[in-house]
């Protein structure tokens, strides 16, 4: 397939794009490159990398020409960033999306795969299924809800729309992030020898980045009819924050410090639909994600990780 990946220079994209190339797809990455090129390989016959903002409609239209599928990863992916830059958040995470969808349809894209999030469900101690109403509690979650509504309203004719409600992603990527739960704990364990837990009973859901790449690949391989109009939770495991901290501590030998609870949100989801409909099952463990990151710290990666805001997905001055 000829695949367009907006946001392909980010944390997930930097792992996914080589994944798709290895599977024989032709890939065009379209990214504002606020955090660089994502360590992607150079342009060649199967990869083209375009520097562009999803708000630039003419340039995005050009990127869509001749594409069979879009895997839409673009957007601000950190709620604290959405709060700090509300105008940028509204422009990129909400206002640009209807135009993006219309352009993709106009240019004959057959399937549109949207990177949503379990944050769209809002906080709950019960395992949310895809049939449940979305009741987000954060700006980031509200934007995902907003985009999903447009996504499924756009489904018509041969345009297959699919939402991937990913759990919190963990594991190594060439464009690394240390602001997701497991990655942050592993970073602190390796840099400080201490994992800070605020409360610990609140729950989070997790997925290994390589398993998420497997799922996106699967959505390109199956027939469009099987995934059109569908949303899928992609999750390996739901854990309490303390369980995750203990796992990281067991791998790294770090200590755990427990403080007052500052965040009451819990995100837990059910992943059985992906297994039932598509035969999908995650293959990697959270422990293996921690080990991957640990081995690279030991090899001298990310020497500036404690001071460089790029690893926390913080950007400013790009309106």
């Amino acid at each position: 397939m000829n695949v367009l990946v907006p946001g392909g220079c980010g944390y997930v994209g930097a792992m996914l794009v080589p994944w798709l190339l290895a599977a024989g797809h032709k890939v065009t990455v379209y990214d504002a490159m606020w955090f660089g090129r994502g360590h992607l390989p150079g342009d060649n016959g199967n990869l083209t990398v375009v520097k562009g903002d999803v708000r630039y409609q003419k340039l995005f239209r050009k990127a869509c020409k001749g594409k069979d599928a879009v895997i839409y990863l673009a957007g601000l992916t950190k709620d604290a960033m959405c709060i700090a830059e509300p105008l940028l958040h509204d422009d990129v995470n909400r206002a640009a999306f209807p135009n993006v969808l219309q352009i993709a349809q106009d240019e004959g894209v057959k399937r549109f795969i949207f990177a949503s999030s379990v944050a769209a469900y809002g906080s709950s101690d019960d395992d949310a299924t895809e049939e449940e109403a979305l009741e987000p509690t954060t700006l980031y979650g509200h934007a995902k809800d907003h985009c999903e509504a447009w996504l499924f309203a756009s489904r018509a004719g041969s345009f297959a729309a699919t939402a991937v409600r990913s759990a919190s992603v963990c594991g190594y990527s060439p464009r690394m992030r240390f602001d997701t739960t497991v990655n942050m704990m592993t970073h602190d364990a390796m840099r400080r020898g201490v994992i800070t837990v605020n409360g610990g009973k609140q729950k989070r859901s997790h997925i290994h980045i390589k398993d998420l790449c497997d799922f996106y690949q699967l959505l390109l391989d199956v027939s469009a009819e099987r995934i059109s109009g569908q949303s899928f939770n992609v999750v390996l495991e739901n854990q309490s924050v303390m369980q995750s901290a203990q796992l990281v501590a067991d791998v790294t030998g770090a200590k755990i410090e427990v403080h007052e609870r500052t965040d009451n949100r819990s995100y837990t989801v059910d992943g059985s639909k992906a297994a039932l409909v598509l035969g999908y099952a995650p293959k990697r463990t959270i422990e293996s994600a921690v080990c991957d990151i640990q081995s690279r710290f030991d090899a001298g990666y990310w020497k500036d990780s404690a001071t460089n805001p790029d690893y926390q997905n913080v950007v400013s001055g790009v309106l």
Side-chain angles (χ1 to χ4, degrees), residues 233-252:
N233 296 335
V234 184
V235 58
L236 167 66
E237 189 172 352
N238 300 302
Q239 291 183 336
S240 71
V241 172
M242 182 57 73
Q243 286 174 320
S244 298
Q246 190 60 62
L247 184 154
V248 175
D250 289 345
V251 171
T252 62

Side-chain angles (χ1 to χ4, degrees), residues 3-30:
V3 185
L4 176 65
V5 186
C9 293
Y11 172 55
V12 172
M15 182 66 76
L16 176 63
V17 169
W19 209 269
L20 298 178
L21 292 170
H25 296 287
K26 188 173 182 179
V27 180
T28 297
V29 171
Y30 183 94

Side-chain angles (χ1 to χ4, degrees), residues 6 12 72-79 82 89 92-95 97 101 112-122 134-152 162-166 177 216 231:
V12 172
Y72 192 85
L73 305 178
L76 275 70
T77 57
K78 183 184 180 76
D79 194 59
C82 297
H89 155 73
V92 174
N93 287 4
R94 295 172 61 93
F97 194 69
L101 281 172
F112 194 106
I113 301 165
F114 173 61
S116 190
S117 167
V118 299
Y121 289 113
L134 301 182
E135 297 179 346
T137 58
T138 64
L139 284 177
Y140 174 69
H142 276 289
K144 294 300 186 185
D145 181 16
H146 169 85
C147 291
E148 282 200 33
W150 278 97
L151 178 74
F152 293 126
T162 309
V164 176
R165 295 174 185 163
S166 171
R177 286 179 62 179
Y216 281 120
S231 57

Side-chain angles (χ1 to χ4, degrees), residues 10-266:
Y11 172 55
V12 172
M15 182 66 76
L16 176 63
V17 169
W19 209 269
L20 298 178
L21 292 170
H25 296 287
K26 188 173 182 179
V27 180
T28 297
V29 171
Y30 183 94
D31 197 292
M33 299 187 193
W34 293 338
F35 304 102
R37 191 186 159 100
H39 303 280
L40 294 175
D43 291 19
N44 54 53
N46 291 319
L47 174 65
T48 302
V49 181
V50 177
K51 185 174 183 179
D53 193 303
V54 293
R55 295 172 290 182
Y56 302 162
Q57 295 182 38
K58 288 184 179 179
L59 188 58
F60 188 78
R61 183 177 297 278
K62 183 178 179 181
C64 278
K65 290 186 181 299
K67 302 304 185 294
D68 303 302
V70 172
I71 300 177
Y72 192 85
L73 305 178
L76 275 70
T77 57
K78 183 184 180 76
D79 194 59
M81 187 65 207
C82 297
I83 295 170
E85 298 281 355
L87 295 178
L88 181 63
H89 155 73
D90 191 66
D91 271 359
V92 174
N93 287 4
R94 295 172 61 93
F97 194 69
N99 294 326
V100 161
L101 281 172
Q102 188 61 58
I103 290 169
Q105 286 184 296
D106 291 346
E107 295 303 324
V109 171
K110 299 303 182 185
R111 63 182 77 192
F112 194 106
I113 301 165
F114 173 61
S116 190
S117 167
V118 299
Y121 289 113
S123 180
S124 174
D125 289 318
D126 299 321
D127 293 352
T129 68
E130 291 85 348
E131 287 69 37
E132 295 182 25
L134 301 182
E135 297 179 346
T137 58
T138 64
L139 284 177
Y140 174 69
H142 276 289
K144 294 300 186 185
D145 181 16
H146 169 85
C147 291
E148 282 200 33
W150 278 97
L151 178 74
F152 293 126
S154 73
R155 185 171 62 96
S158 61
F159 188 75
T162 309
V164 176
R165 295 174 185 163
S166 171
S168 178
V169 187
C170 59
Y172 165 77
S173 166
R175 209 306 264 178
M176 196 61 193
R177 286 179 62 179
F178 291 117
D179 59 324
T180 63
T181 301
V182 170
N183 289 4
M184 177 177 62
M185 289 179 175
T186 308
H187 173 271
D188 291 350
M190 297 304 296
R191 280 285 179 250
R192 303 192 298 114
V194 176
I195 302 165
T196 300
V197 174
N198 296 320
K201 292 183 179 180
Q202 61 270 52
K203 296 179 181 178
R204 297 290 183 269
S205 55
H206 306 284
I207 187 69
H208 195 295
I209 191 169
K210 291 182 179 179
D211 282 320
L212 183 57
C213 290
D214 275 345
F215 191 74
Y216 281 120
Q217 174 64 55
L218 178 61
L219 293 181
L220 296 180
D221 291 341
V222 301
S223 67
E225 291 76 11
R226 292 176 66 186
I227 61 173
S228 182
Q230 299 292 321
S231 57
F232 294 98
N233 296 335
V234 184
V235 58
L236 167 66
E237 189 172 352
N238 300 302
Q239 291 183 336
S240 71
V241 172
M242 182 57 73
Q243 286 174 320
S244 298
Q246 190 60 62
L247 184 154
V248 175
D250 289 345
V251 171
T252 62
K255 297 179 180 180
I256 299 174
E257 289 184 355
V258 181
H259 295 213
E260 290 289 328
R261 181 168 175 163
T262 58
D263 184 351
N264 292 322
R265 295 174 295 168
S266 283

